[in-house]
Amino acid sequence: MPASKYNSNGNTSVPSSRIERLLRERELRKNSKASNSNEPNTNDGFEFSDNLVEQYLEGASAARDSWEKPDGGLFTQRLLVVANRLPVSAVRRGEESWSLEVSAGGLVSALLGVKEVEAKWIGWAGVNVPDEPGQRALTKALAEKRCIPVFLDEEVVHQYYNGYCNNILWPLFHYLGLPQEDRLATTRSFQSQFAAYKKANQMFADVVNEHYEEGDVVWCHDYHLMFLPKCLKDHNSNMKVGWFLHTPFPSSEIHRTLPSRSELLRAVLAADLVGFHTYDYARHFVSACTRILGLEGTPEGVEDQGRLTRVAAFPIGIDSDRFIRALENPQVQEHMKELKERFSGRKVMLGVDRLDMIKGIPQKILAFEKFLEENPYWRDKVVLLQIAVPTRTDVPEYQKLTSQVHEIVGRINGRFGTLTTVPIHHLDRSLDFQALCALYAVTDIAIVTSLRDGMNLVSYEYVACQDAKRGVLILSEFAGAAQSLGAGAILVNPWNITEVAASIGQALNMSAEEREKRHCHNFLHVTTHTAQEWAETFVSELNDTVVEAQQRIRQVPPPLPVEEAIECYLQSSNRLIILGFSATLTEPIDTPGRRGGDQIREMDLKLHPELKESLMKLCDDPHTTVVVLSGSDRIVLDDNFGEFNMWLAAENGMFLRSAKGAWMTTMPEHSNMEWVDSVKHVFEYFTERTPRSHFELRETSLVWNYKYADVEFGRLQARDMLQHLWTGPISNASVDVVQGSRSVEVRAAGVTKGITIVRILGEIVHSKSISSPIDYVLCIGHFLGKDEDIFTFFEPELPYNGMGIPRPKLSDATKGPGDKKHSKSGPKTSQKQQRPLQSPRNKPTINNNRNNGFENGGKRSSSVAPDKVSWNVLDLKADNYFSCAVGRTRTNARYLLPTSDDVVSFLKDLTQAF
């Protein structure tokens, strides 16, 4: 792997854990910054200014020198930043002539300080360029700014950007409902807009793939490109891909209303690292994945079949140095002087917002009106300056909002104003950077009343410019910044006008000492958690996430080698095939796009319709013995396999039926099953309390399944159930409690598929004329962790430190669970049992002597009884044993098959080969 890891610098120790690696990288970055700060700055052009942004994008030598890897620092790495818009605006001057204007946006500023990476930008230039000469000229011009364009035609832009992004995703993520009159129209056009969205994301992916080099990091940004991680990973699964959302992510109950909810979630999960501004947004995303997709949420992220997508919070910041230095600019100081004279004798309140529904401008102004009503003393002593930057002026909803704000401002100024002064100064325009910094610096109170905001960096900018005045920040609790600056700010609910009005009074009357404490707390946060630190942290964690994922992948078994398994089958003379039933031979019934799946079909297990012919052919082969080993009861197995010439083992082998024969039990005669009734009552109680859960009462076990219940509620109920079971009904019973991913099973102690297979083998040898030892074993199934000992049971060469259990002595295993004393299994019974570590010389081996136990040309001695069968009924070599888990990556099996459809395909190939 390229770059992204540590420069040893003489230290050869390698951090073992993710936290250790990230802490070490953090120290390396700190040391690098410290060494750079001690060097004299001889390049005046490198001071942060608007020119630096252009220098950075152009790759001027002054900027590029700062990227060189310092001694002891991190390796240089290329970063492809993919966003909907490039940080450059293009204007066409002629057929092959373009003028470019660089915009100093937050992302550009953030990446200026990331010294260990070299960034290139990929995005839409904001203009339609249908002709090839124009595209070539623009591409060439943008290349000088380190930018790579994606050319979108007008129809795609209209459907993708104006349609799906702005009319569907943006309102949804900000908890805004669509206007009632537009809902039907939106519903009708949704599919075409979503198709354009996917098409546009694929166009972005095509450009990334064209410029990608091995080792590059691809960082995708915002809701415009939620489909991009999947497009990139489909093309190159080894690509390092991160995705960051700059808006809120709504609760799962909001997100589930989106028709394309599942597709978008799975597309984002293709990324290695998914980032959000706050923990709340990350929690909502994980919750949506668990509730809508049914995946496993973990403290680190979302897990799907062993693949973990890291989900974390990365609060963005600002380049605080840029604002602090700006206050020393003579032009800014002149602005500050003018503003102080203009508002002399009055306290200045400031609001800086886009004129948008989510910014809560009407709520802010109404709260100010209420404050003036209740506090006549302040009417001529305080002024509210509201900067409302126009946006989407062609949209009727925004036009209506503008009119509403103007009406409220006019009414308040008419009510409380005088001939010389008005309480509100409202500007429908933006300010340049210097004027804005001056305004921040002279303000006494900044008020942010966002109804829903991803972060809101205005609050950060205000704090950065207030080191002299120590002003007060009133901040909406619904802004992402509230989680970072909440300690020093006055947090308010913008919907509560009375509360906001009271907070204005609290801020105006706050003592200098309290203002000092609040400001110092926030100022420290703003100056340390900068945009550069945010970008460095994300890239560092993305690199480490990929390293960790590679380590995890090494532990996942490879896919089943189909051709090798078939070839070994054909060359063997006596074969044993052991198959699970549920999720192995059944038809897949999961419906990813439908919340909750199809519970009725899930409960009614049916053999995959395409398997009958293949199974029939396998069962009719005189040299092949087929065993279906399942946790299901006898009735289910009879209904599905009654016509096949195979062995059936129901309830994990507690009941056994030979081909076309009668059922026999392997249970000991004096088994104590008195615990069943009390456990049944507990299961009934929790089934009533947990909607969409159900339990199965079998002859030797009970299973409570909550797969289709609410995920979080189901887990809480399962935990409550287990606590109740251990302290009551089974406290003194000889039982095991086995926890599946969404189930709880109580069964007789010591019953696992690996143990009962011994008895099954004995019965098979006793009742079937075996002319030679079994020399080929194929074991395929989707088994619970406790039952995966069946995979290690047949291992010809047990691994030195392998997981599972040692092959038991036959005399012990065939006694049955009732013949041995079992203590109550504790909470750890759901985990896989461990085989004690053994030296390779001492581990149990299979006797390969074909003559021992067979007489006269290989015929089985009539004196051999089921409980006297010795290990030499197996003559199994490592190359002739194929254990395969279905849909489980954490497994003891040698190989994997993803779904039962893959099992069907394999068995078809196998039967077609002979």
Side-chain angles (χ1 to χ4, degrees):
M1 293 301 297
S4 79
K5 295 322 297 162
Y6 309 98
N7 183 356
S8 62
N9 202 21
N11 183 4
T12 58
S13 62
V14 178
S16 57
S17 72
R18 181 177 63 85
I19 298 299
E20 289 176 354
R21 291 193 295 270
L22 293 174
L23 285 175
R24 181 167 175 181
E25 288 198 11
R26 181 172 177 269
E27 288 302 311
L28 287 173
R29 291 200 304 269
K30 277 189 173 181
N31 294 337
S32 172
K33 289 177 181 177
S35 63
N36 288 342
S37 64
N38 291 332
E39 296 176 2
N41 184 4
T42 57
N43 186 359
D44 296 335
F46 192 63
E47 273 201 33
F48 200 110
S49 65
D50 290 337
N51 286 336
L52 180 59
V53 176
E54 194 148 355
Q55 284 183 349
Y56 171 75
L57 291 173
E58 289 177 352
S61 58
R64 188 168 179 80
D65 288 344
S66 67
W67 297 337
E68 292 180 358
K69 182 180 64 176
D71 292 339
L74 300 175
F75 291 93
T76 301
Q77 187 174 39
R78 263 198 2 156
L79 176 66
L80 300 181
V81 181
V82 192
N84 177 61
R85 288 294 298 269
L86 291 171
V88 173
S89 299
V91 178
R92 193 163 194 169
R93 302 300 183 189
E95 184 177 350
E96 297 187 12
S97 175
W98 293 87
S99 66
L100 304 178
E101 182 180 346
V102 176
S103 55
L107 270 181
V108 183
S109 302
L111 293 167
L112 277 169
V114 186
K115 301 298 192 295
E116 70 271 19
V117 300
E118 174 186 349
K120 285 185 177 294
W121 295 74
I122 297 176
W124 178 47
V127 291
N128 179 36
V129 190
D131 57 302
E132 289 189 12
Q135 291 183 3
R136 285 196 303 269
L138 181 56
T139 302
K140 182 178 179 181
L142 287 172
E144 298 177 1
K145 307 287 187 184
R146 299 174 181 266
C147 294
I148 302 166
V150 177
F151 295 106
L152 305 175
D153 59 60
E154 287 184 347
E155 179 60 23
V156 170
V157 170
H158 175 68
Q159 295 264 44
Y160 145 73
Y161 181 69
N162 299 324
Y164 195 77
C165 292
N166 287 345
N167 288 342
I168 295 176
L169 290 183
W170 190 90
L172 184 84
F173 284 10
H174 288 87
Y175 294 77
L176 295 176
L178 294 173
Q180 188 69 42
E181 62 271 15
D182 289 349
R183 285 185 179 172
L184 285 177
T186 301
T187 301
R188 284 195 295 267
S189 62
F190 173 82
Q191 290 302 329
S192 62
Q193 291 181 356
F194 186 54
Y197 182 84
K198 292 194 288 186
K199 178 181 178 181
N201 275 247
Q202 185 59 56
M203 293 170 74
F204 276 86
D206 292 341
V207 176
V208 173
N209 295 332
E210 182 183 347
H211 293 85
Y212 174 80
E213 297 176 5
E214 185 179 356
D216 287 353
V217 170
V218 183
W219 191 359
C220 313
H221 287 271
D222 230 357
Y223 59 92
H224 311 90
L225 301 176
M226 293 181 74
F227 229 81
L228 184 56
K230 180 182 185 300
C231 297
L232 295 175
K233 286 288 189 174
D234 286 347
H235 177 78
N236 183 351
S237 60
N238 295 322
M239 192 180 291
K240 295 181 185 179
V241 179
W243 181 79
F244 189 88
L245 182 65
H246 293 267
T247 69
F249 192 89
S251 72
S252 60
E253 289 303 300
I254 296 292
H255 185 77
R256 61 182 285 217
T257 62
L258 187 65
S260 57
R261 60 195 182 184
S262 298
E263 284 187 84
L264 287 179
L265 289 176
R266 290 197 178 277
V268 171
L269 287 175
D272 299 293
L273 177 62
V274 176
F276 299 91
H277 281 309
T278 72
Y279 171 73
D280 282 348
Y281 307 156
R283 177 171 53 84
H284 289 162
F285 177 79
V286 173
S287 176
C289 292
T290 56
R291 292 173 183 270
I292 296 172
L293 301 181
L295 302 179
E296 187 75 17
T298 72
E300 289 192 335
V302 179
E303 187 171 339
D304 182 11
Q305 297 297 324
R307 184 188 183 277
L308 178 69
T309 299
R310 280 252 303 136
V311 180
F314 301 91
I316 196 173
I318 63 170
D319 189 348
S320 53
D321 285 345
R322 183 187 184 204
F323 288 86
I324 294 171
R325 291 175 186 173
L327 299 181
E328 301 172 2
N329 186 299
Q331 290 180 302
V332 174
Q333 291 181 351
E334 183 63 29
H335 276 302
M336 291 169 59
K337 182 180 177 181
E338 293 173 1
L339 290 169
K340 287 177 182 178
E341 293 175 354
R342 174 71 177 81
F343 299 110
S344 176
R346 304 175 75 183
K347 294 287 187 180
V348 177
M349 292 176 54
L350 175 65
V352 179
D353 307 277
R354 282 185 300 107
L355 192 51
D356 205 317
M357 276 85 73
I358 65 166
K359 295 300 183 179
I361 296 176
Q363 285 81 358
K364 178 191 306 183
I365 299 173
L366 290 173
F368 184 58
E369 179 184 30
K370 185 170 183 61
F371 170 76
L372 295 178
E373 286 177 352
E374 297 176 349
N375 298 273
Y377 169 79
W378 284 103
R379 290 178 183 175
D380 59 347
K381 295 180 176 61
V382 64
V383 60
L384 172 62
L385 307 182
Q386 177 61 54
I387 311 300
V389 181
T391 179
R392 301 183 69 184
T393 54
D394 57 333
V395 178
E397 289 80 9
Y398 286 80
Q399 295 170 354
K400 184 178 179 180
L401 175 65
T402 303
S403 299
Q404 182 185 30
V405 170
H406 288 174
E407 180 183 341
I408 298 173
V409 170
R411 176 168 53 79
I412 295 174
N413 281 342
R415 182 180 176 188
F416 297 106
T418 66
L419 291 175
T420 56
T421 60
V422 290
I424 301 178
H425 288 246
H426 181 88
L427 296 181
D428 279 332
R429 64 181 182 86
S430 60
L431 297 180
D432 62 50
F433 177 70
Q434 293 177 345
L436 187 61
C437 289
L439 197 52
Y440 282 144
V442 301
T443 296
D444 297 281
I445 301 169
I447 180 166
V448 176
T449 55
S450 302
L451 307 180
R452 192 71 60 173
D453 222 342
M455 196 63 181
N456 193 291
L457 296 180
V458 167
S459 53
Y460 277 66
E461 295 169 358
Y462 170 72
V463 171
C465 295
Q466 278 286 313
D467 203 34
K469 198 172 184 70
R470 305 299 206 256
V472 182
L473 173 64
I474 299 174
L475 181 59
S476 167
E477 64 186 56
F478 299 115
Q483 292 197 12
S484 305
L485 304 181
I490 300 175
L491 294 183
V492 295
N493 177 359
W495 295 100
N496 189 338
I497 301 300
T498 303
E499 179 186 348
V500 178
S503 71
I504 294 174
Q506 179 186 351
L508 288 171
N509 295 298
M510 188 177 292
S511 66
E513 182 181 359
E514 185 178 351
R515 290 205 316 269
E516 174 81 18
K517 289 180 180 178
R518 288 176 178 269
H519 171 78
C520 289
H521 187 282
N522 283 349
F523 188 77
L524 178 63
H525 181 90
V526 169
T527 53
T528 54
H529 294 77
T530 62
Q532 292 83 2
E533 184 70 24
W534 165 77
E536 285 180 337
T537 303
F538 188 93
V539 174
S540 174
E541 291 232 11
L542 176 55
N543 278 317
D544 195 81
T545 296
V546 173
V547 171
E548 198 172 59
Q550 290 170 342
Q551 294 173 347
R552 190 180 295 107
I553 288 171
R554 294 192 196 104
Q555 301 169 0
V556 175
L560 176 69
V562 173
E563 293 182 2
E564 181 183 342
I566 293 175
E567 183 180 353
C568 292
Y569 176 93
L570 297 175
Q571 294 176 356
S572 57
S573 58
N574 193 14
R575 310 144 186 138
L576 174 64
I577 297 179
I578 302 172
L579 302 171
F581 180 39
S582 178
T584 304
L585 303 180
T586 53
E587 186 175 10
I589 58 176
D590 283 341
T591 50
R594 187 184 309 161
R595 187 175 189 254
D598 194 330
Q599 183 175 356
I600 301 301
R601 291 178 63 198
E602 162 91 1
M603 295 168 64
D604 186 19
L605 295 177
K606 294 294 183 183
L607 179 66
H608 199 298
E610 298 181 22
L611 261 177
K612 290 188 177 181
E613 183 179 347
S614 301
L615 269 183
M616 196 70 73
K617 193 171 181 180
L618 277 176
C619 294
D620 292 342
D621 183 354
H623 301 291
T624 301
T625 302
V626 180
V627 180
V628 171
L629 178 54
S630 171
S632 301
D633 59 32
R634 293 184 280 179
I635 296 175
V636 172
L637 295 189
D638 276 335
D639 289 345
N640 285 280
F641 301 100
E643 60 184 299
F644 295 95
N645 182 26
M646 63 168 56
W647 286 74
L648 299 177
E651 300 199 24
N652 300 305
M654 296 299 280
F655 297 98
L656 186 63
R657 195 204 78 173
S658 61
K660 308 284 184 170
W663 285 98
M664 66 185 83
T665 180
T666 61
M667 289 178 61
E669 294 181 5
H670 305 293
S671 295
N672 183 356
M673 301 295 288
E674 295 178 356
W675 51 269
V676 172
D677 285 339
S678 57
V679 172
K680 177 186 173 184
H681 291 314
V682 175
F683 277 21
E684 286 176 339
Y685 172 73
F686 279 93
T687 300
E688 293 172 359
R689 289 179 59 190
T690 312
R692 296 196 69 180
S693 68
H694 65 278
F695 82 94
E696 300 173 53
L697 176 60
R698 300 169 182 169
E699 294 180 68
T700 61
S701 65
L702 294 94
V703 181
W704 182 65
N705 189 301
Y706 58 95
K707 176 179 179 181
Y708 291 105
D710 179 89
V711 178
E712 294 180 11
F713 183 62
R715 286 176 185 156
L716 290 173
Q717 293 291 80
R719 186 173 63 185
D720 195 9
M721 172 191 283
L722 290 171
Q723 291 174 348
H724 183 73
L725 287 172
W726 290 124
T727 57
I730 62 172
S731 56
N732 296 310
S734 180
V735 298
D736 282 344
V737 177
V738 183
Q739 284 184 262
S741 61
R742 306 275 176 85
S743 65
V744 177
E745 179 178 358
V746 180
R747 63 169 75 154
V751 176
T752 69
K753 290 180 171 67
I755 291 176
T756 56
I757 194 65
V758 181
R759 181 78 181 187
I760 294 170
L761 278 176
E763 294 291 348
I764 291 174
V765 171
H766 181 64
S767 62
K768 185 176 180 179
S769 297
I770 294 183
S771 58
S772 61
I774 295 170
D775 58 355
Y776 178 94
V777 174
L778 172 67
C779 185
I780 302 177
H782 177 89
F783 302 129
L784 294 173
K786 187 175 180 65
D787 291 324
E788 284 211 341
D789 54 359
I790 192 172
F791 290 140
T792 54
F793 175 84
F794 289 101
E795 282 289 353
E797 294 293 333
L798 296 177
Y800 175 71
N801 60 346
M803 299 296 293
I805 64 170
R807 200 175 287 110
K809 294 180 180 178
L810 193 67
S811 57
D812 289 340
T814 55
K815 286 179 182 178
D819 295 343
K820 295 184 285 185
K821 291 184 180 180
H822 289 282
S823 62
K824 169 177 70 77
S825 300
K828 294 182 180 179
T829 55
S830 64
Q831 299 176 2
K832 301 171 188 174
Q833 302 179 42
Q834 284 194 351
R835 184 191 304 113
L837 296 179
Q838 299 172 333
S839 104
R841 296 179 182 176
N842 298 329
K843 52 183 184 176
T845 57
I846 296 173
N847 185 350
N848 290 323
N849 184 354
R850 292 175 182 260
N851 295 324
N852 188 5
F854 289 85
E855 298 177 356
N856 303 325
K859 292 184 179 180
R860 182 177 57 82
S861 170
S862 60
S863 63
V864 179
D867 59 347
K868 299 295 183 181
V869 178
S870 55
W871 283 114
N872 52 15
V873 300
L874 293 172
D875 183 19
L876 196 59
K877 297 179 182 178
D879 292 344
N880 276 10
Y881 175 51
F882 296 86
S883 59
C884 182
V886 180
R888 286 176 60 94
T889 52
R890 294 180 179 179
T891 177
N892 289 333
R894 291 183 172 193
Y895 306 107
L896 291 178
L897 282 174
T899 67
S900 59
D901 283 337
D902 299 285
V903 178
V904 172
S905 176
F906 167 67
L907 293 180
K908 281 184 177 179
D909 292 343
L910 179 62
T911 53
Q912 289 172 1
F914 63 88

